[in-house]
Structure formats: structure tokens, C-alpha cells
Coordinates of all heavy atoms in Angstrom, one line a residue:
M1 N 0.8 -1.1 0.0 CA 0.0 0.1 0.0 C 0.8 1.2 0.0 O 1.9 1.3 0.6 CB -0.9 0.0 1.2 CG -2.1 -0.8 1.2 SD -3.0 -0.7 2.6 CE -4.5 -0.2 1.8
R2 N 0.3 2.2 -0.5 CA 1.0 3.6 -0.6 C 0.6 4.4 0.6 O -0.5 4.6 0.7 CB 0.7 4.1 -1.9 CG 1.5 5.2 -2.5 CD 1.6 5.4 -3.9 NE 0.8 6.8 -4.1 CZ 0.5 7.2 -5.3 NH1 0.6 6.5 -6.3 NH2 -0.1 8.3 -5.5
E3 N 1.5 4.9 1.1 CA 1.3 5.8 2.3 C 1.0 7.1 1.8 O 1.8 7.7 0.9 CB 2.5 5.8 3.3 CG 2.8 4.7 4.1 CD 3.9 4.9 5.1 OE1 4.0 6.0 5.5 OE2 4.6 3.8 5.2
Q4 N 0.0 7.8 2.4 CA -0.3 9.2 2.1 C 0.3 10.1 3.0 O 0.0 9.9 4.2 CB -1.8 9.3 1.8 CG -2.4 8.7 0.7 CD -3.9 9.1 0.6 OE1 -4.4 9.6 1.4 NE2 -4.4 8.6 -0.5
M5 N 1.0 11.0 2.5 CA 1.6 12.0 3.6 C 0.6 13.0 3.7 O 0.2 13.7 2.6 CB 2.9 12.5 3.0 CG 3.9 11.5 2.8 SD 5.1 11.1 4.1 CE 5.7 12.6 4.6
Q6 N 0.3 13.4 4.8 CA -0.6 14.5 5.2 C 0.1 15.6 5.8 O 0.8 15.4 6.7 CB -1.8 14.1 6.0 CG -2.8 13.2 5.2 CD -3.9 12.9 6.1 OE1 -3.9 13.0 7.3 NE2 -5.1 12.4 5.5
T7 N -0.1 16.9 5.3 CA 0.5 18.0 6.0 C -0.3 18.3 7.3 O -1.4 18.2 7.3 CB 0.6 19.2 5.1 OG1 -0.9 19.5 4.8 CG2 1.4 18.9 3.8
P8 N 0.4 18.6 8.2 CA -0.3 18.9 9.6 C -1.2 20.1 9.4 O -0.8 21.0 8.8 CB 0.6 19.1 10.6 CG 2.0 19.4 9.8 CD 1.8 18.7 8.6
K9 N -2.4 20.1 10.0 CA -3.3 21.2 9.8 C -2.8 22.3 10.8 O -2.4 21.9 12.0 CB -4.7 20.7 10.2 CG -5.3 19.9 9.1 CD -6.7 19.5 9.5 CE -7.7 20.7 9.3 NZ -9.0 20.3 9.4
T10 N -3.0 23.5 10.5 CA -2.7 24.6 11.3 C -3.9 25.0 12.1 O -4.9 25.1 11.4 CB -2.2 25.7 10.5 OG1 -1.1 25.4 9.7 CG2 -1.8 27.0 11.4
S11 N -3.8 25.1 13.3 CA -4.9 25.5 14.2 C -5.3 27.0 13.9 O -4.5 27.8 13.5 CB -4.7 25.4 15.7 OG -3.7 26.4 16.2
K12 N -6.5 27.3 14.1 CA -7.1 28.6 13.9 C -6.4 29.6 14.8 O -6.1 30.8 14.4 CB -8.6 28.6 14.0 CG -9.3 27.8 13.0 CD -10.9 28.1 13.1 CE -11.3 27.2 11.9 NZ -12.8 27.4 12.0
Q13 N -6.0 29.1 16.0 CA -5.4 30.1 17.0 C -4.0 30.3 16.3 O -3.5 31.5 16.3 CB -5.1 29.3 18.3 CG -4.3 30.2 19.3 CD -4.0 29.5 20.5 OE1 -5.2 28.9 21.2 NE2 -3.0 29.4 21.2
Q14 N -3.2 29.3 15.8 CA -1.9 29.7 15.1 C -2.1 30.5 13.8 O -1.2 31.3 13.6 CB -1.3 28.3 14.8 CG 0.1 28.4 14.3 CD 1.0 29.1 15.3 OE1 1.1 28.6 16.5 NE2 1.6 30.1 15.0
Q15 N -3.2 30.4 13.2 CA -3.4 31.2 12.0 C -3.4 32.6 12.4 O -2.9 33.5 11.9 CB -4.7 30.7 11.2 CG -4.5 29.5 10.5 CD -5.9 29.0 10.0 OE1 -7.1 29.6 10.1 NE2 -5.8 28.0 9.1
V16 N -4.2 32.9 13.5 CA -4.4 34.3 14.1 C -3.0 34.8 14.5 O -2.6 36.0 14.2 CB -5.4 34.3 15.2 CG1 -5.4 35.6 15.9 CG2 -6.8 34.1 14.7
I17 N -2.3 33.9 15.2 CA -0.9 34.4 15.7 C -0.1 34.7 14.5 O 0.8 35.6 14.5 CB -0.3 33.3 16.5 CG1 -1.0 33.2 17.8 CG2 1.3 33.5 16.8 CD1 -0.7 32.0 18.8
D18 N -0.1 33.8 13.4 CA 0.7 34.1 12.3 C 0.4 35.4 11.5 O 1.2 36.2 11.1 CB 0.6 33.0 11.3 CG 1.3 31.6 11.8 OD1 2.1 31.6 12.7 OD2 0.9 30.6 11.2
L19 N -0.9 35.6 11.5 CA -1.3 37.0 10.9 C -0.9 38.2 11.7 O -0.3 39.3 11.1 CB -2.9 37.0 10.7 CG -3.4 36.1 9.6 CD1 -4.9 36.0 9.6 CD2 -3.0 36.6 8.2
L20 N -1.0 38.0 13.0 CA -0.7 39.2 13.9 C 0.7 39.4 14.1 O 1.2 40.6 14.2 CB -1.4 38.8 15.3 CG -2.8 38.9 15.5 CD1 -3.2 38.6 16.8 CD2 -3.4 40.3 15.0
S21 N 1.6 38.3 13.8 CA 3.0 38.5 13.9 C 3.5 39.0 12.6 O 4.8 39.3 12.6 CB 3.6 37.0 14.1 OG 3.2 36.5 15.2
S22 N 2.9 39.1 11.5 CA 3.4 39.7 10.2 C 3.7 41.3 10.3 O 2.9 41.8 11.2 CB 2.3 39.4 9.1 OG 1.2 40.2 9.2
Q23 N 4.5 41.7 9.7 CA 5.0 43.2 9.9 C 3.7 44.1 9.6 O 3.7 45.0 10.3 CB 6.1 43.4 8.9 CG 6.7 44.8 9.2 CD 8.0 45.0 8.7 OE1 8.6 44.1 8.0 NE2 8.5 46.1 8.7
Q24 N 2.9 43.7 8.7 CA 1.8 44.6 8.4 C 0.5 44.4 9.2 O -0.3 45.2 9.3 CB 1.2 44.5 7.0 CG 0.7 43.1 6.5 CD 1.7 42.1 6.0 OE1 2.9 42.2 6.3 NE2 1.2 41.1 5.5
G25 N 0.6 43.3 10.1 CA -0.5 43.0 11.1 C -1.7 42.6 10.2 O -1.6 42.1 9.2
A26 N -2.9 42.7 10.9 CA -4.1 42.2 10.3 C -5.3 43.0 10.8 O -5.3 43.3 12.1 CB -4.4 40.7 10.6
T27 N -6.4 43.2 10.0 CA -7.7 43.8 10.3 C -8.4 42.7 11.0 O -8.2 41.5 10.7 CB -8.3 44.5 9.2 OG1 -8.6 43.4 8.3 CG2 -7.5 45.5 8.5
L28 N -9.5 43.2 11.7 CA -10.4 42.3 12.2 C -11.2 41.4 11.0 O -11.4 40.3 11.3 CB -11.5 42.9 13.1 CG -12.5 42.1 13.8 CD1 -11.7 41.1 14.8 CD2 -13.5 43.0 14.6
T29 N -11.5 42.1 10.1 CA -12.0 41.5 9.0 C -11.2 40.2 8.4 O -11.7 39.2 8.1 CB -12.3 42.3 7.8 OG1 -13.2 43.4 8.3 CG2 -13.0 41.9 6.6
E30 N -9.9 40.5 8.2 CA -8.9 39.5 7.7 C -8.9 38.4 8.7 O -8.8 37.3 8.3 CB -7.5 40.1 7.6 CG -7.5 41.2 6.4 CD -6.1 41.9 6.5 OE1 -5.5 42.0 7.5 OE2 -5.8 42.5 5.5
L31 N -8.9 38.7 9.9 CA -8.9 37.6 11.0 C -10.1 36.7 11.0 O -10.1 35.6 11.1 CB -8.5 38.3 12.4 CG -7.2 38.8 12.6 CD1 -7.2 39.7 14.0 CD2 -6.1 37.9 12.6
C32 N -11.3 37.5 10.8 CA -12.4 36.6 10.7 C -12.6 35.8 9.5 O -13.0 34.6 9.6 CB -13.6 37.8 10.7 SG -13.9 38.5 12.3
K33 N -12.2 36.2 8.4 CA -12.0 35.5 7.1 C -11.1 34.4 7.1 O -11.6 33.2 6.8 CB -11.7 36.5 6.0 CG -11.7 35.9 4.6 CD -11.3 36.8 3.5 CE -12.5 37.8 3.2 NZ -12.3 38.6 2.0
A34 N -10.0 34.4 7.8 CA -9.0 33.5 7.9 C -9.5 32.2 8.9 O -9.3 31.1 8.7 CB -7.6 34.0 8.6
T35 N -10.2 32.7 9.9 CA -10.7 31.6 10.9 C -12.2 31.1 10.6 O -12.6 30.1 11.0 CB -10.7 32.2 12.2 OG1 -11.5 33.4 12.4 CG2 -9.3 32.5 12.7
G36 N -12.9 31.9 10.0 CA -14.4 31.7 9.7 C -15.2 32.0 10.9 O -16.3 31.5 11.2
W37 N -14.7 32.7 11.9 CA -15.3 33.1 13.1 C -15.8 34.4 13.0 O -15.5 35.3 12.3 CB -14.2 33.2 14.3 CG -13.8 31.9 14.7 CD1 -14.1 30.7 14.3 CD2 -12.5 31.6 15.5 NE1 -13.3 29.6 14.9 CE2 -12.2 30.2 15.7 CE3 -11.7 32.5 16.1 CZ2 -11.3 29.7 16.3 CZ3 -10.6 31.9 16.9 CH2 -10.4 30.5 17.0
Q38 N -16.7 34.7 14.1 CA -17.4 36.0 14.1 C -16.5 37.0 14.8 O -15.4 36.5 15.5 CB -18.7 35.9 14.7 CG -19.8 35.3 14.0 CD -21.1 35.2 14.6 OE1 -21.3 35.7 15.8 NE2 -22.1 34.5 14.0
A39 N -16.6 38.2 14.8 CA -15.8 39.2 15.4 C -15.6 39.0 16.8 O -14.4 39.1 17.4 CB -16.2 40.6 14.9
H40 N -16.7 38.7 17.6 CA -16.5 38.6 19.0 C -15.7 37.4 19.4 O -15.0 37.4 20.4 CB -18.0 38.6 19.6 CG -18.8 37.3 19.4 ND1 -19.5 37.3 18.2 CD2 -18.8 36.3 20.0 CE1 -20.1 36.0 18.2 NE2 -19.6 35.3 19.4
S41 N -15.7 36.4 18.6 CA -14.8 35.2 18.9 C -13.4 35.6 18.6 O -12.5 35.1 19.4 CB -15.3 34.1 18.0 OG -16.7 33.7 18.3
V42 N -13.1 36.3 17.6 CA -11.7 36.8 17.4 C -11.2 37.5 18.5 O -10.0 37.4 19.0 CB -11.5 37.4 16.1 CG1 -10.2 37.9 15.8 CG2 -11.9 36.4 14.9
H43 N -12.1 38.5 19.0 CA -11.7 39.4 20.1 C -11.5 38.5 21.4 O -10.6 38.8 22.1 CB -12.7 40.5 20.3 CG -12.7 41.8 19.4 ND1 -11.7 42.5 19.6 CD2 -13.4 42.1 18.5 CE1 -11.7 43.6 18.7 NE2 -12.8 43.4 18.0
G44 N -12.3 37.7 21.5 CA -12.2 36.8 22.7 C -10.9 36.1 22.7 O -10.3 35.9 23.7
L45 N -10.6 35.5 21.5 CA -9.2 34.8 21.4 C -8.0 35.8 21.7 O -7.1 35.5 22.5 CB -9.1 34.2 20.0 CG -7.7 33.6 19.7 CD1 -7.6 32.2 20.4 CD2 -7.4 33.5 18.2
M46 N -8.0 37.0 21.3 CA -7.0 37.9 21.4 C -7.0 38.3 22.8 O -5.9 38.3 23.4 CB -7.2 39.1 20.5 CG -6.9 38.8 19.0 SD -6.6 40.3 18.0 CE -8.5 41.0 18.0
S47 N -8.0 38.6 23.5 CA -8.2 39.1 24.9 C -7.7 37.9 25.7 O -6.9 38.0 26.7 CB -9.3 39.6 25.3 OG -9.4 39.9 26.5
G48 N -8.4 36.8 25.7 CA -8.5 35.8 26.8 C -7.2 34.8 26.6 O -6.6 34.5 27.6
V49 N -7.0 34.4 25.3 CA -5.9 33.3 25.2 C -4.6 34.0 24.9 O -3.6 33.8 25.6 CB -6.3 32.4 24.1 CG1 -5.3 31.5 23.7 CG2 -7.7 31.6 24.4
L50 N -4.5 34.9 23.9 CA -3.3 35.5 23.3 C -2.7 36.5 24.4 O -1.5 36.3 24.8 CB -3.4 36.1 22.1 CG -3.9 35.1 21.0 CD1 -4.0 35.9 19.6 CD2 -3.2 34.0 20.7
R51 N -3.6 37.3 25.0 CA -3.0 38.3 26.0 C -2.9 37.7 27.3 O -1.8 37.7 27.9 CB -3.9 39.3 26.1 CG -3.9 40.4 25.0 CD -4.6 41.7 25.2 NE -4.4 42.6 24.0 CZ -5.3 43.5 23.6 NH1 -6.5 43.5 24.2 NH2 -5.1 44.2 22.7
K52 N -3.9 37.0 27.9 CA -4.0 36.7 29.2 C -3.2 35.4 29.5 O -2.4 35.2 30.4 CB -5.3 36.5 29.9 CG -5.9 37.8 30.0 CD -7.3 37.7 30.4 CE -8.1 39.2 30.5 NZ -9.3 39.1 30.9
K53 N -3.5 34.3 28.6 CA -2.8 33.0 28.9 C -1.5 32.8 28.4 O -0.6 32.3 28.9 CB -3.7 31.9 28.3 CG -5.0 31.7 29.1 CD -5.9 30.5 28.7 CE -7.0 30.3 29.6 NZ -7.7 29.1 29.1
L54 N -1.3 33.4 27.1 CA 0.0 33.3 26.4 C 1.0 34.5 26.7 O 2.1 34.5 26.5 CB -0.1 33.0 25.0 CG -0.9 31.9 24.5 CD1 -1.0 31.8 23.0 CD2 -0.2 30.6 25.1
G55 N 0.4 35.5 27.2 CA 1.2 36.8 27.6 C 1.7 37.5 26.5 O 2.8 38.2 26.6
L56 N 1.1 37.5 25.3 CA 1.4 38.2 24.1 C 0.9 39.6 24.2 O -0.2 39.8 24.6 CB 1.0 37.6 22.9 CG 1.5 36.0 22.7 CD1 0.8 35.5 21.4 CD2 2.9 36.1 22.4
A57 N 1.8 40.5 23.8 CA 1.5 42.0 23.8 C 0.9 42.3 22.4 O 1.6 42.2 21.5 CB 2.6 42.8 24.1
I58 N -0.4 42.6 22.5 CA -1.2 42.9 21.2 C -1.5 44.3 21.2 O -2.1 44.9 22.1 CB -2.4 42.0 21.0 CG1 -2.1 40.6 21.1 CG2 -3.2 42.5 19.7 CD1 -3.3 39.6 20.9
S59 N -1.0 45.0 20.1 CA -1.4 46.4 20.0 C -2.3 46.6 18.7 O -2.5 45.7 17.9 CB 0.0 47.3 19.8 OG 0.5 46.8 18.4
H60 N -2.8 47.8 18.7 CA -3.7 48.1 17.6 C -3.6 49.6 17.2 O -3.3 50.4 18.2 CB -5.2 47.7 17.8 CG -5.8 48.3 19.0 ND1 -6.4 49.6 19.1 CD2 -5.8 47.8 20.4 CE1 -6.8 49.8 20.3 NE2 -6.5 48.9 21.1
A61 N -3.7 50.0 16.0 CA -3.6 51.3 15.6 C -4.5 51.5 14.4 O -4.8 50.4 13.6 CB -2.3 51.7 15.2
K62 N -5.1 52.8 14.3 CA -5.9 53.0 13.1 C -5.1 53.4 11.8 O -4.2 54.2 11.9 CB -6.8 54.2 13.4 CG -8.0 54.3 12.6 CD -9.0 55.3 13.1 CE -10.3 55.3 12.3 NZ -11.2 56.2 12.9
D63 N -5.3 52.5 10.8 CA -4.7 52.8 9.5 C -5.1 54.2 8.9 O -6.3 54.4 8.9 CB -5.0 51.6 8.5 CG -4.3 51.9 7.3 OD1 -3.1 52.4 7.2 OD2 -4.7 51.3 6.2
E64 N -4.2 54.9 8.6 CA -4.4 56.3 8.1 C -5.2 56.4 6.8 O -6.1 57.1 6.6 CB -3.1 57.2 8.0 CG -2.5 57.4 9.3 CD -2.9 58.4 10.1 OE1 -3.6 59.3 9.6 OE2 -2.9 58.3 11.3
T65 N -4.8 55.4 5.9 CA -5.4 55.4 4.6 C -6.9 54.8 4.6 O -7.8 55.4 4.0 CB -4.5 54.8 3.5 OG1 -4.4 53.4 4.0 CG2 -3.3 55.5 3.3
S66 N -7.0 53.7 5.2 CA -8.3 52.9 5.2 C -9.2 53.3 6.3 O -10.4 53.1 6.2 CB -8.1 51.5 5.1 OG -7.6 51.0 6.2
G67 N -8.6 53.7 7.4 CA -9.6 54.0 8.6 C -9.7 52.7 9.5 O -10.5 52.8 10.4
K68 N -9.2 51.5 9.0 CA -9.4 50.3 9.7 C -8.4 50.0 10.9 O -7.4 50.7 10.7 CB -9.5 49.1 8.7 CG -10.5 49.2 7.8 CD -10.4 48.0 6.8 CE -11.7 48.0 5.8 NZ -11.5 46.9 5.0
R69 N -8.9 49.5 11.8 CA -7.9 49.1 12.9 C -7.0 47.9 12.7 O -7.5 46.9 12.2 CB -8.7 48.9 14.3 CG -7.9 48.9 15.5 CD -8.7 49.0 16.7 NE -9.5 50.2 16.8 CZ -9.0 51.4 17.1 NH1 -7.7 51.5 17.4 NH2 -9.7 52.5 17.1
I70 N -5.8 48.1 12.7 CA -4.8 47.1 12.5 C -4.2 46.5 13.8 O -3.8 47.3 14.7 CB -3.6 47.7 11.6 CG1 -4.2 48.4 10.4 CG2 -2.6 46.5 11.3 CD1 -4.7 47.4 9.3
Y71 N -4.2 45.2 14.0 CA -3.8 44.5 15.2 C -2.4 43.9 14.9 O -2.3 43.3 13.7 CB -4.9 43.5 15.6 CG -6.1 44.0 16.0 CD1 -7.2 44.3 15.2 CD2 -6.4 44.5 17.3 CE1 -8.5 44.7 15.4 CE2 -7.6 45.0 17.8 CZ -8.7 45.1 16.8 OH -9.8 45.6 17.2
R72 N -1.4 43.9 15.8 CA -0.2 43.3 15.6 C 0.2 42.7 17.1 O -0.2 43.2 18.1 CB 0.8 44.3 15.2 CG 0.7 44.9 14.0 CD 1.9 45.8 13.7 NE 1.7 46.5 12.3 CZ 1.0 47.5 12.1 NH1 0.2 48.1 13.0 NH2 0.8 48.0 10.9
I73 N 1.0 41.8 17.0 CA 1.7 41.3 18.2 C 3.1 42.0 18.2 O 3.9 42.0 17.3 CB 2.0 39.7 18.1 CG1 0.7 38.9 18.2 CG2 3.0 39.3 19.2 CD1 0.8 37.5 18.0
D74 N 3.2 42.7 19.4 CA 4.5 43.4 19.6 C 5.6 42.4 19.9 O 5.5 41.6 20.8 CB 4.3 44.4 20.8 CG 3.3 45.4 20.4 OD1 3.1 45.9 19.3 OD2 2.7 46.0 21.4
T75 N 6.7 42.8 19.4 CA 7.9 41.9 19.6 C 9.0 42.6 20.4 O 8.9 43.9 20.6 CB 8.6 41.5 18.4 OG1 8.9 42.6 17.5 CG2 7.7 40.5 17.5

């Protein structure tokens, strides 16, 4: 039999961390689209898990051109 190699699935939490770790950061809309979650669920993950449990510093700033809030993990 031929073995099928499966790539490990990336968790939705890790997807959010990856997006927030990028230099440009991510908007709430981008985070919702990546996870398939509603906005309050993404906010809950950022506040409860990423900030409180994992101790990550998450900042946000308003983008001058689009007016949208951009979230990032501070390094």
C-alpha cells in the first residue's frame, strides 16, 4: 500500500498568531475571514488566550489610509 503524507493542519489560533505576527498586522475582517469566526470570537481569542494565557502583547492602531484598525503582536 502506498502511504499518503498529510501535512499537519494549522490550528485557527496559530493562523491568528501568524497573521498578527506579520509586519503589516491584520484587520479584524482579515482575522475573521481566515478563521471563519465572528468578530466577538476573534476578540475573545486575542483578549483571553493570546493576551492573558500566552502573555502576548497585542497592539492596535488605526490605519491612516483605510481607517481600519490594524492589530499586531508586539515583539
Side-chain angles (χ1 to χ4, degrees):
M1 284 186 115
R2 199 160 107 188
E3 289 185 33
Q4 290 185 353
M5 303 271 305
Q6 292 183 336
T7 56
K9 291 179 79 175
T10 304
S11 70
K12 291 185 180 186
Q13 177 178 319
Q14 188 60 50
Q15 290 174 349
V16 170
I17 291 171
D18 291 343
L19 286 169
L20 295 176
S21 297
S22 67
Q23 187 160 357
Q24 67 270 18
T27 64
L28 185 59
T29 304
E30 292 169 336
L31 296 169
C32 289
K33 188 179 281 189
T35 59
W37 292 346
Q38 293 182 1
H40 68 274
S41 299
V42 174
H43 275 290
L45 174 76
M46 288 192 293
S47 175
V49 176
L50 302 184
R51 282 186 179 148
K52 292 179 182 174
K53 288 188 178 179
L54 297 180
L56 298 174
I58 299 175
S59 65
H60 55 86
K62 197 169 188 177
D63 184 29
E64 298 288 329
T65 56
S66 69
K68 295 182 179 180
R69 191 162 300 280
I70 305 292
Y71 295 90
R72 289 183 185 85
I73 292 178
D74 295 333
T75 54

